[in-house]
Amino acid sequence: MEKQYLLKGLDCPHCSAEIENEVGKIKGVKSSSVNLITQKLTVELEDDFEGDLLELVTKIVKKHEPDVPVEEITKKEHHDEHDHEHGESCSCGCDHEHDNHNHDHEDHVHHDEHATVFFLEGLDCPHCSAEIEHEVAALPGVESASVNLISQKLVVEAENYEGNLFADVEKIVHKHEPDVPVTLFEKEKQHVHEDHDHDHGHSHGDDDDVKKRIIKLAVGAVIYALAIILSEFTSLNIYVTLAIFIVAYVILGGDVVLRALKNITRGRVFDENFLMALSTVGAFGIGDYKEGVAVMLFYQIGELFQDVAVGKSRKSISELMDIRPDTANLKVGDDIKVVNPAEVEIGDVIVVKPGEKVPLDGEIIEGKTTLDTRALTGESVPRSANVGDSVLSGCINESGLILIKVTKEFGDSTASKIIDLVENATSKKAPAENFISKFAHYYTPVVVISALLLALVPPIFFHGVWADWIYRAFVFLVISCPCALVISVPLTFFGGLGAASRRGVLIKGSNYLEALNDLENIVFDKTGTLTKGVFKVTEVNPANGCDNEKLLKIAASAEHFSNHPIARSVVNAYEENGGNKVPEDALENYEEISGHGVSVVCDGHKILAGNAKLMKKENIEFEESNAIGTKIYVAFDGKFAGSIVIADEVKEDSAKAIKNLKAAGVKNAVMLTGDGKEIAEAISKKLGLDKFFAELLPGDKVQKLEALMQDEKGKTAFVGDGINDAPVLARADIGIAMGALGSDAAIEAADIVLMTDEPSKLLDAVDVAKITKKIVTQNITFALAVKFILLVLGAFGIANMWMAIFGDVGVMIIAVINSMRMLKK
C-alpha cells in the first residue's frame, strides 16, 4: 500500500532528508521517499499497518519545517501528452533509461531563520575573536558560533534562545573589545547599526589609520634610539635616560598596558595584551629598559603588519566580490531612470550600456553584445549574447547596448548569491582552524602559569637568583604569544577560498577546502556532468528504399507530440536538415504503447516508432542496430523504414580531467547512471573510469555510493549537475554541483559549486586545496617548532629577550607573509 503527501513549500534538502529518514522508521512503514522538486513524500506501508499515518507524518514534518503544510494526495492516473519515464514503462520505446532523480540532503547545514549574523566593526585581534567565539558558543541555547575575523562577522545559530541574544553577545564582545560596536548584519543593507556611540581604538584597516600608527611608531622609535645613544655614549644621569626610555615606552606601549589593565578588571587575564604588558613592565622592574621598550616596539610593528595583511586580504576579497553595481538603468516608458537595483522588480526592463556591469539576472529582449563572465566563471574568453539569451548579474557588457527583462529580484540574483556565499564561506571552519582556536584558548594560560613557576620555583626551592629566573620567565612570556598561528592559519584558508573563487570554483567552507586534500574517490553522474546532456541524432540508417530525409520525417511525425529530450532530438534533426515543421492537422490516432513506443497515423499512413520489442510485437522484420546509444526503430505502413541512433555527447575535457585527477591522488573514478549498460560501458571505457554502475534508480545511486564509501578509504566526492542529484550530493563527503551557473537550487544544495560545466574545474579546486594545506602545514610546523626551541632555550637561560622578540614578532611576520601567498594564486 502506498500513500503520497504534498509538502508545499518544502525547499531544504537537509530537512527533506531528515523527514524521509524519520518517516521510514515509523513502525509498519516499508520505505519513504521525498522528492524535493515535486515536494512530495511517498510512503510504502506494510499491509497490516495500523495508526493515523497523516498525523504521524505531520508531526515529523512540523518538527523540521513548522511552516510546511502536509496534505494527503489522492492518486489518479494521468498522462501529460508524451510525458514518460524511460525503462520498462517507457511508452516511446527507446532503449534508454533516463536519470530520474529523487531529492534529499544529509549532513548539510543551511542558514535558516535561526542564524543571526552580527557585524563587529573594527575587530582585528585574533585572540579576542577566538575568545568571543568560544564564549558565545557556550551560551545556553546557542548551537554554534563562528567569528570571521576577515569580514568581521559573528554568525550565531540559536533556535530556542531564551533571553536577549543581542544583549548577551554585546556583553561578551565588549568584555574583550570595549571599543568594538556590535550591530545586526543585514544582507541587503550590508549592516545596520544600533544606537551606539563608540570611540574606536582599533584599526579599521584604512590608510589614514595606518599612517597615524606609523607616525606613532616612528616617534617612539626615534625617542627609543635617543635613549640608547644617551645611555651608551654619555654619562648622563641614569634617571634622565630612564625617563626617556619610559617616554618611549608610553608612546609605543601605553595603549597595550591600558587595555591589559581594563581586561583584568573584567576578569580577562590571559591575553596577548597581558603577556606583553607583564613581560615589558617586568623587564623595566629588573633594569632591562632597552629590552622592555624593544619588545613593545617590535610587538607594535608586528601588530601593524598583521592588520595591514588582514586589510589587504579584505580588500582582495572585496575586489573579488565587486561584481554587483550600485545602480541600474530602469526603462520607464521612453525614459531611463537610474535606481537602486533593489528597487527593480521582476518583469521590469533595464538598460545596460557598453562597459557597465549587469545588475540583475534577466533575458535580453533587444540588442546583442559580448559578455565578460570572468568574475563569475574565471574564464577570460567573452561570450556572445543575443535576443532571447539569459544574462547573469555580475557579467560585464563589453560592446553593444542591450535591454534586459529582469527575471530575478536583487536579493536572488546570481551576483548577490555569490557574494553571500563567498562572504560566509569562512564561517564553516576547517579542522586545522578549529584546532588552532582551541589550542590558543588553552595554550596562553598554560604558558603564563609555566612562566610563573619558572620565576618562583628555582629561587624558592633551589636557591636560584631571583633576577635571573624572573628574566627567563619574561623571555618565556614574550616567546609564547600565539599570534603567528591564530592569524596566519585563518588567513591562509581565506586566501584559498578567494583563490578558488577567482578560478570559478565556489567553496562553501574551509572545511570542504581541507577535505579535498583527502579526496581518494570521486563519483560522477553521467548526463550533464561527464556528458553535455544534449541528445543528438548520431546515426540515420534507412532501409527498404527509404532515404535519410524521409526516415527523419516519419520519425519526427511520430515523436511530434513529445517534449522528451530524445524525442525532441529527432524532431530537431529533421528540421535542421531542411525539413518543414510537421503539420499537426495531418496527425491522428496518436497512441502510446506502454514499454514499446508510439503509433500515429499521418496523412493516412500508419507510423510506428519505438524499441525492438515494438517491432517484434507488430511482427515487422527489421535489422537490429549495434550502435552505442538510444535506438529508435521506425516502420511505415507495416514495413521497416530504418533506425535512428541518438546519443549524448561526451564533454571535451572529461577524459583529460579524470586522467589528471588520478595523477593528483584520486584512486577511484566511478560513474553512476540510469542509462543502459551498453551506453555506460562505452562512455566508461572512453573516459578511463575505474567502475560504472548502470540502470540505476535514484535510491540505487545512494546505495552504490554508500557501498563505495564503506569499502574504500579517504574522502568521497560526488559530482552532479545540480539539485537533480541531491540525494547523492547529500550523502557524499563532498557534494559538488557541476555546471550550476545561475542555478539557485544547485548553489543551495552543494558544498562546492563549479561555475562552468567543465570537469577540469575540479583540478583547480584540488590544486588550491593542496596549496592551502601546504602553507597551513608550513606555518603550524614552523611556528610551533621555533617557539618550542626558544621556550626550551629561554627556560635554560640561553635565549635572551632579543631572541624572544624574534620568537614572537619574527615568527608571526614570516607566517603571515607565507599565508599572503594565497592571495596571488
Side-chain angles (χ1 to χ4, degrees), residues 329-368:
N329 303 317
L330 178 64
K331 185 173 173 55
V332 182
D334 294 329
D335 298 326
I336 295 177
K337 184 179 178 182
V338 179
V339 299
N340 187 313
E343 299 175 17
V344 180
E345 298 180 354
I346 294 174
D348 286 346
V349 176
I350 57 174
V351 178
V352 183
K353 303 171 185 177
E356 291 183 341
K357 293 173 185 171
V358 178
L360 297 146
D361 293 5
E363 179 182 316
I364 296 177
I365 58 172
E366 186 178 319
K368 61 180 181 178

Side-chain angles (χ1 to χ4, degrees), residues 584-753:
E584 289 190 12
D585 56 4
L587 302 175
E588 56 184 354
N589 298 333
Y590 177 81
E591 180 188 1
E592 294 182 0
I593 305 170
S594 181
H596 293 75
V598 296
S599 169
V600 69
V601 174
C602 180
D603 288 330
H605 300 281
K606 185 176 182 181
I607 301 172
L608 296 170
N611 55 22
K613 291 187 293 183
L614 178 63
M615 298 294 106
K616 293 174 182 176
K617 180 177 182 292
E618 298 294 330
N619 297 316
I620 295 172
E621 292 186 8
F622 71 103
E623 184 178 345
E624 200 156 352
S625 172
N626 293 319
I628 301 300
T630 299
K631 277 86 70 173
I632 297 178
Y633 298 99
V634 182
F636 188 76
D637 283 339
K639 189 177 180 181
F640 181 57
S643 63
I644 296 174
V645 181
I646 297 100
D648 185 8
E649 293 182 272
V650 173
K651 291 179 182 177
E652 289 80 2
D653 66 337
S654 291
K656 184 179 178 182
I658 291 169
K659 180 180 178 182
N660 291 338
L661 281 168
K662 287 187 175 182
V666 172
K667 295 179 180 177
N668 297 293
V670 181
M671 180 177 72
L672 305 180
T673 180
D675 280 346
K677 183 178 179 181
E678 186 182 55
I679 296 173
E681 185 175 14
I683 291 176
S684 180
K685 286 181 179 178
K686 185 174 183 178
L687 298 180
L689 295 167
D690 298 297
K691 297 177 184 176
F692 72 89
F693 297 95
E695 301 176 356
L696 300 176
L697 296 173
D700 298 332
K701 288 186 177 183
V702 176
Q703 291 174 6
K704 293 295 182 185
L705 181 77
E706 288 177 337
L708 180 69
M709 293 172 67
Q710 189 172 6
D711 295 340
E712 303 293 343
K713 297 178 180 179
K715 298 288 185 183
T716 299
F718 177 78
V719 189
D721 58 341
I723 193 63
N724 288 339
D725 292 308
V728 211
L729 279 169
R731 187 62 188 90
D733 295 317
I734 310 168
I736 304 173
M738 188 68 147
L741 184 59
S743 170
D744 297 338
I747 291 176
E748 175 69 24
D751 305 318
I752 297 174
V753 181

Side-chain angles (χ1 to χ4, degrees), residues 537 552 555-556 559 566-574 632 644 646:
V537 172
L552 280 172
E559 298 286 6
I566 289 178
R568 298 315 305 166
S569 68
V570 174
V571 176
N572 292 338
Y574 168 63
I632 297 178
I644 296 174
I646 297 100

Side-chain angles (χ1 to χ4, degrees), residues 214-409:
I214 290 175
I215 292 171
K216 179 181 175 182
L217 288 175
V219 171
V222 169
I223 296 174
Y224 173 54
L226 177 63
I228 292 176
I229 292 171
L230 293 176
S231 65
E232 294 292 334
F233 302 104
T234 68
S235 57
L236 203 63
N237 187 292
I238 183 66
Y239 294 107
V240 175
T241 56
L242 174 59
I244 298 174
F245 274 119
I246 291 174
V247 170
Y249 180 84
V250 170
I251 292 172
L252 294 169
D255 57 337
V256 176
V257 175
L258 188 61
R259 284 201 297 270
L261 292 173
K262 284 182 179 179
N263 290 340
I264 289 172
T265 62
R266 299 186 186 99
R268 282 188 60 227
V269 178
F270 302 118
D271 66 0
E272 59 185 1
N273 295 302
F274 175 76
L275 290 178
M276 291 300 109
L278 180 61
S279 58
T280 52
V281 171
F284 268 82
I286 60 175
D288 290 324
Y289 313 132
K290 286 187 292 185
E291 287 88 342
V293 179
V295 168
M296 196 59 77
L297 170 63
F298 288 107
Y299 170 73
Q300 293 283 42
I301 291 173
E303 287 291 293
L304 175 63
F305 184 87
Q306 170 186 296
D307 292 343
V308 170
V310 172
K312 283 189 175 182
S313 297
R314 287 176 181 149
K315 185 178 180 182
S316 172
I317 209 69
S318 296
E319 290 173 352
L320 172 68
M321 296 188 298
D322 187 24
I323 60 177
R324 186 176 59 186
D326 298 324
T327 60
N329 303 317
L330 178 64
K331 185 173 173 55
V332 182
D334 294 329
D335 298 326
I336 295 177
K337 184 179 178 182
V338 179
V339 299
N340 187 313
E343 299 175 17
V344 180
E345 298 180 354
I346 294 174
D348 286 346
V349 176
I350 57 174
V351 178
V352 183
K353 303 171 185 177
E356 291 183 341
K357 293 173 185 171
V358 178
L360 297 146
D361 293 5
E363 179 182 316
I364 296 177
I365 58 172
E366 186 178 319
K368 61 180 181 178
T369 187
T370 54
L371 296 173
D372 181 355
T373 63
R374 189 179 319 176
L376 301 180
T377 65
E379 301 300 325
S380 58
V381 180
R383 68 177 182 87
S384 60
N386 300 294
V387 173
D389 290 340
S390 295
V391 181
L392 301 175
S393 55
C395 297
I396 298 174
N397 180 18
E398 289 198 330
S399 52
L401 184 142
I402 53 176
L403 271 63
I404 299 173
K405 185 177 181 180
V406 176
T407 56
K408 288 184 182 178
E409 293 180 346

Side-chain angles (χ1 to χ4, degrees), residues 90-281:
C90 173
S91 57
C92 79
C94 309
D95 295 334
H96 173 76
E97 246 182 40
H98 193 64
D99 289 348
N100 299 307
H101 300 284
N102 183 14
H103 309 276
D104 67 359
H105 206 302
E106 217 172 75
D107 300 331
H108 282 61
V109 178
H110 66 288
H111 288 295
D112 56 17
E113 68 273 14
H114 307 313
T116 306
V117 182
F118 299 91
F119 185 66
L120 313 182
E121 185 177 6
L123 181 66
D124 55 12
C125 169
H127 178 80
C128 296
S129 68
E131 290 296 313
I132 291 168
E133 179 180 288
H134 178 77
E135 291 184 24
V136 172
L139 288 172
V142 171
E143 297 170 17
S144 67
S146 176
V147 173
N148 183 336
L149 187 61
I150 305 299
S151 63
Q152 300 178 333
K153 291 178 188 174
L154 165 64
V155 180
V156 182
E157 293 273 355
E159 183 174 355
N160 298 309
Y161 192 80
E162 296 181 1
N164 190 328
L165 181 62
F166 182 90
D168 292 343
V169 167
E170 186 178 46
K171 183 178 179 181
I172 291 172
V173 171
H174 287 166
K175 171 185 172 183
H176 298 278
E177 291 281 12
D179 299 319
V180 171
V182 180
T183 60
L184 287 173
F185 182 86
E186 292 186 10
K187 190 163 60 175
E188 297 297 328
K189 299 179 182 178
Q190 292 306 304
H191 64 275
V192 178
H193 289 276
E194 301 288 333
D195 293 330
H196 294 292
D197 183 15
H198 295 281
D199 179 18
H200 292 214
H202 286 67
S203 164
H204 292 195
D206 55 59
D207 293 337
D208 290 338
D209 183 77
V210 171
K211 288 177 182 176
K212 288 177 183 178
R213 294 176 70 185
I214 290 175
I215 292 171
K216 179 181 175 182
L217 288 175
V219 171
V222 169
I223 296 174
Y224 173 54
L226 177 63
I228 292 176
I229 292 171
L230 293 176
S231 65
E232 294 292 334
F233 302 104
T234 68
S235 57
L236 203 63
N237 187 292
I238 183 66
Y239 294 107
V240 175
T241 56
L242 174 59
I244 298 174
F245 274 119
I246 291 174
V247 170
Y249 180 84
V250 170
I251 292 172
L252 294 169
D255 57 337
V256 176
V257 175
L258 188 61
R259 284 201 297 270
L261 292 173
K262 284 182 179 179
N263 290 340
I264 289 172
T265 62
R266 299 186 186 99
R268 282 188 60 227
V269 178
F270 302 118
D271 66 0
E272 59 185 1
N273 295 302
F274 175 76
L275 290 178
M276 291 300 109
L278 180 61
S279 58
T280 52
V281 171

